[in-house]
C-alpha cells in the first residue's frame, strides 16, 4: 500500500480472486497507509491478524533491512 488510491482496487482484487473463507498473506513494512487499508477490509467483513514479524532486505537491492509484518487476511464466508 503506497497510496490511498490503491486501497479500493486491491480490496476489489482480493474479493474477486479469493473464494469465501479464503486467506491471503500480505508482507507490509510498516507504511502509514496500511492501518487504513486494514480498517477498510474489516468494514468489508474481512478479519486480519499479524502472524509474523521479521527484519529483511530485498536481496541484491543494497537497501537497509526493514521491519516487515506478515498479515493474514481471511475473507468472510457466505
Amino acid at each position: 500500500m503506497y497510496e490511498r488510491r490503491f486501497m479500493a482496487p486491491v480490496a476489489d482484487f482480493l474479493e474477486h480472486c479469493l473464494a469465501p473463507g479464503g486467506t491471503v498473506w500480505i508482507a507490509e513494512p510498516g507504511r502509514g497507509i496500511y492501518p487504513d487499508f486494514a480498517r477498510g477490509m474489516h468494514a468489508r467483513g474481512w478479519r486480519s491478524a499479524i502472524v509474523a514479524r521479521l527484519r529483511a532486505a530485498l536481496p541484491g537491492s543494497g537497501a537497509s533491512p526493514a521491519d516487515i509484518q506478515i498479515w493474514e487476511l481471511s475473507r468472510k464466508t457466505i
Side-chain angles (χ1 to χ4, degrees), residues 9 12-13 19 59 62:
D12 292 344
F13 170 78

Side-chain angles (χ1 to χ4, degrees), residues 4-5 19 26 32 36 38 45 48 51 60-61 63 73-74:
R4 289 190 191 288
R5 65 187 175 108
I26 296 177
D36 291 337
S48 67
V51 295
S61 71
L73 284 87
S74 301

Side-chain angles (χ1 to χ4, degrees), residues 1-2 25-35 37 50 52-54 66-71 73:
M1 261 338 110
Y2 290 97
W25 293 273
I26 296 177
E28 195 280 313
R31 291 189 179 99
I33 193 74
Y34 193 82
F37 174 72
I50 296 172
R53 288 186 171 96
L54 56 112
D67 294 321
I68 308 294
Q69 300 178 102
I70 308 297
W71 287 84
L73 284 87

Side-chain angles (χ1 to χ4, degrees), residues 9-20 22-24 46 75:
V10 169
D12 292 344
F13 170 78
L14 293 174
E15 288 187 339
H16 176 76
C17 291
L18 277 115
T23 299
V24 64
W46 288 63
R75 187 173 179 194

